[in-house]
Amino acid sequence: MQRHSLRLWAAAVLSAGLLELPFPIAGPMPPWRSIFAWFGLAPLLWAILHPAVVSSPRPLRRAFLLGYLCGFLWYCGNCYWVRDTMMKYGDMPPMAPTLLMIGFSAVLGLYFGLFGLAMMLVRRATGDVRWALAAAPFLWVALELAAARITSVPWDQLGYSQVDNSFVNQLAPWTGVYGISLFLVLANSALAGMLLLSMRRLWLTVLVSEFAVLFVLAVLNGPIKPSPISASAVLIQPNLDVGGDLNWTGEEWDRHMADFASLASESCKPYIEGIPQTGAPTVRPQCVEPAVLPDLVAWPESPTPFEEDDPRLRKALAGIANAEHAPVVVGGLGMDYSNEEQAWRDYNSALIIGADGQRVGRYDKIHLVPFGEYVPFERLLFFAKKLTGRVSKFTRGDQRKVFLLADSKGQRHRYGIFICYESVFADEVREFSQLGAEVLVNISDDGWYGDTSAPWQHLNMARMRAIENRRWLLRDTNNGITAVIDPYGRVQQSIPRHQANALPAQYGFRDDITFYTAHGDVFAWVCAILALGVVGWCLRVKLR
């Protein structure tokens, strides 16, 4: 019995390790590693449904703990950057960053535990492993949806592992990333069934069925075609030190504004034809005189002292817009006075300046980063401010906006602009396209994460947003990864990380609406309702 027990716990640990591999670890992920997502969960499923667990005195508890161990270890590995970031920038006591990462993983690991518990509940209620394996994909998607809606950390959901798999990610315009997750868990369930039941035909049958569905979707989606390019932008990467003193005054302000203006004018220069650090070739375009004016200039979310009402900033942005005859998007600090609170409210904002130098509007970030941009449950967690000394206190925005911007040729197009962490919330980003955005712009500051896995994970999640909505996505960051992503999630252009630079971005406009853009997470909600129905029925049977 003890030997069986050790094998079961080892299987849970093995799944945690295998599921780390189809995601970036410390740099860009080689596409071949996505294969691990197709079988990495199988050892955990095998362990949860093993006869030794089913016949144990407390099978539900044991199944929960097996899933919880796997989930806890997976989050520790996948999100190790939480510790690194807090250690460097959190102004926390020595052991606090490690304890914070452990606590973070301990909480989110509960989703894996609940998955194991639900699997065993179905197995006990039906008396059949096959029913539990059939329920697994729906249970998994339901818990991924819960992670997005309840704890607001849908980081590296299983489906993101296939962002480079152009055959499988055809599901995304219909189901979002959740449909890909379901397919992967279904494949893992078939493999676990083969191990548990020696039903070798099951694995082949499921694979054939999955590929048949993907073939139908390929027909519905049509062939992948080159996406027309009709516009250009200059995406500025300032490479500012997020931990430095950025209270610019006098000559220092003037110098930085001169750098801003200089980078904004670099509309023709070398770029990487693909993702940085992957060996993608560097393209050196043939420049013409006079230089082609861009259709947009973007400055990312970054630790700059850009306050909306600062007259120096207004003058500088108007000068750049007039010089380039292009609208300007700049990450900055928006402020409103609240009569109710008798105080000023600060917002993490994207400030929009028209090609004529006049203010167009402002988008205020809606989905703020907990413990980074605000302290959740502030009255209860009154001590958190002292633990995370540099935490900001921003007010949440309340409206998604699409901006109609005119370029130097007088043509007007709709832009949807969102900020940093918001890119991981698929159902929220698709609202910009639903409102009419013809191109998506994501401004972000990934400088907090250094050379960890986080910037690469963040990039892949942004790529999935392009696929789901079939939109060009311009990703402008403080220190990388600044990139142009086409409507199929492919990185067409980028520039090296950790250097002040500008990317001459080539992109296009689309106004077609995908099923996912129109209906959002309806597929995930259907899975969640089915999962809840199955669990409810199983509880009723068990409690009789």
Side-chain angles (χ1 to χ4, degrees):
M1 180 63 72
Q2 186 176 6
R3 183 181 174 186
H4 271 309
S5 181
L6 289 175
R7 287 172 60 196
L8 297 175
W9 295 112
V13 173
L14 176 61
S15 269
L18 291 174
L19 291 176
E20 299 290 356
L21 296 175
F23 297 99
I25 295 174
M29 189 195 79
W32 66 266
R33 280 214 328 249
S34 66
I35 191 68
F36 287 97
W38 292 91
F39 58 84
L41 191 63
L44 177 64
L45 297 176
W46 171 82
I48 289 170
L49 298 174
H50 194 277
V53 178
V54 175
S55 60
S56 65
R58 295 177 179 174
L60 294 175
R61 185 179 73 172
R62 199 165 183 188
F64 172 84
L65 291 175
L66 283 166
Y68 185 65
L69 174 64
C70 178
F72 171 76
L73 293 176
W74 184 81
Y75 276 106
C76 281
N78 183 264
C79 298
Y80 70 89
W81 49 265
V82 171
R83 173 184 175 274
D84 292 29
T85 300
M86 286 299 177
M87 182 174 292
K88 190 169 183 179
Y89 300 112
D91 290 344
M92 302 175 74
M95 286 299 296
T98 301
L99 293 175
L100 179 65
M101 187 196 71
I102 291 173
F104 173 88
S105 303
V107 171
L108 295 180
L110 290 171
Y111 288 114
F112 281 67
L114 291 172
F115 174 72
L117 177 65
M119 288 277 292
M120 181 54 67
L121 188 62
V122 176
R123 168 64 181 83
R124 296 277 289 178
T126 62
D128 195 331
V129 168
R130 289 171 294 186
W131 282 111
L133 291 171
F138 303 97
L139 295 170
W140 185 274
V141 170
L143 289 167
E144 283 195 342
L145 182 64
R149 300 298 178 120
I150 299 174
T151 48
S152 288
V153 188
W155 194 266
D156 265 358
Q157 294 168 322
L158 191 58
Y160 287 118
S161 64
Q162 305 303 304
V163 71
D164 285 303
N165 188 331
S166 60
F167 190 55
V168 176
N169 66 34
Q170 293 178 94
L171 284 163
W174 298 88
T175 66
V177 69
Y178 296 103
I180 304 173
S181 293
L182 182 137
F183 259 54
L184 292 170
V185 178
L186 184 60
N188 279 273
S189 292
L191 180 56
M194 186 180 75
L195 296 172
L196 287 163
L197 303 171
S198 299
M199 297 176 63
R200 302 191 183 278
R201 290 184 180 180
L202 180 63
W203 176 239
L204 182 60
T205 301
V206 170
L207 275 183
V208 170
S209 300
E210 288 189 321
F211 278 98
V213 171
L214 290 172
F215 178 77
V216 171
L217 283 174
V219 173
L220 290 174
N221 288 335
I224 294 178
K225 301 176 181 178
S227 299
I229 292 172
S230 57
S232 64
V234 177
L235 308 181
I236 298 172
Q237 181 176 286
N239 196 38
L240 299 172
D241 181 5
V242 295
D245 181 8
L246 296 171
N247 185 25
W248 301 339
T249 58
E251 292 182 1
E252 188 178 15
W253 173 275
D254 294 338
R255 178 170 56 82
H256 282 290
M257 289 303 99
D259 291 341
F260 189 165
S262 175
L263 288 169
S265 67
E266 296 186 354
S267 58
C268 183
K269 60 184 307 183
Y271 61 85
I272 299 170
E273 194 175 37
I275 299 176
Q277 299 175 214
T278 61
T282 297
V283 174
R284 291 174 171 80
Q286 191 167 6
C287 302
V288 297
E289 293 293 343
V292 177
L293 293 172
D295 297 288
L296 182 76
V297 174
W299 176 280
E301 177 196 41
S302 60
T304 48
F306 287 172
E307 297 181 0
E308 179 184 23
D309 294 331
D310 187 340
R312 299 176 305 168
L313 178 64
R314 289 185 176 183
K315 180 180 178 182
L317 295 182
I320 292 169
N322 289 328
E324 302 304 325
H325 301 284
V328 178
V329 174
V330 59
L333 182 66
M335 291 178 287
D336 286 333
Y337 187 77
S338 169
N339 291 321
E340 181 182 344
E341 298 177 8
Q342 295 291 299
W344 287 92
R345 291 177 174 175
D346 293 337
Y347 299 88
N348 185 354
S349 303
L351 314 176
I352 318 299
I353 307 298
D356 59 0
Q358 299 300 308
R359 181 184 185 276
V360 173
R362 187 183 87 197
Y363 169 71
D364 299 325
K365 186 176 182 181
I366 295 173
H367 220 121
L368 301 175
V369 180
F371 298 105
E373 295 173 323
Y374 78 106
V375 177
F377 310 109
E378 191 170 6
R379 291 185 180 179
L380 177 64
L381 303 177
F382 58 91
F383 54 87
K385 183 68 175 180
K386 293 182 179 179
L387 286 176
T388 55
R390 299 189 188 184
V391 69
S392 302
K393 186 178 180 181
F394 286 117
T395 300
R396 180 179 180 269
D398 59 8
Q399 185 181 1
R400 288 185 177 83
K401 302 176 182 178
V402 169
F403 297 94
L404 185 62
L405 302 178
D407 58 26
S408 59
K409 300 181 286 292
Q411 297 178 342
R412 299 163 70 86
H413 292 282
R414 293 181 177 86
Y415 289 76
I417 302 162
F418 53 99
I419 302 173
C420 195
Y421 187 57
E422 292 183 310
S423 64
V424 309
F425 295 94
D427 195 48
E428 297 177 14
V429 171
R430 63 101 190 174
E431 290 184 23
F432 293 102
S433 297
Q434 189 182 41
L435 289 170
E438 299 165 79
V439 63
L440 300 174
V441 180
N442 178 211
I443 60 173
S444 183
D445 184 1
D446 289 353
W448 302 98
Y449 309 128
D451 288 318
T452 66
S453 61
W456 306 98
Q457 294 169 349
H458 205 182
L459 171 69
N460 283 352
M461 287 182 272
R463 292 171 63 194
M464 191 62 74
R465 303 292 84 84
I467 298 169
E468 290 163 343
N469 297 282
R470 288 292 188 243
R471 289 292 186 272
W472 284 89
L473 194 153
L474 307 179
R475 189 165 190 270
D476 187 25
T477 70
N478 175 32
N479 72 333
I481 305 154
T482 297
V484 180
I485 302 166
D486 76 6
Y488 298 95
R490 299 170 299 191
V491 175
Q492 298 291 351
Q493 296 174 272
S494 67
I495 49 179
R497 299 180 68 215
H498 303 309
Q499 59 179 247
N501 206 340
L503 174 63
Q506 305 293 314
Y507 64 100
F509 302 99
R510 289 183 62 159
D511 58 6
D512 52 320
I513 299 295
T514 67
F515 182 88
Y516 184 78
T517 298
H519 303 288
D521 288 337
V522 62
F523 174 82
W525 280 111
V526 169
C527 290
I529 291 168
L530 289 173
L532 287 172
V534 168
V535 169
W537 178 83
C538 291
L539 285 171
R540 185 178 177 185
V541 169
K542 189 164 174 26
L543 293 174
R544 280 178 179 174

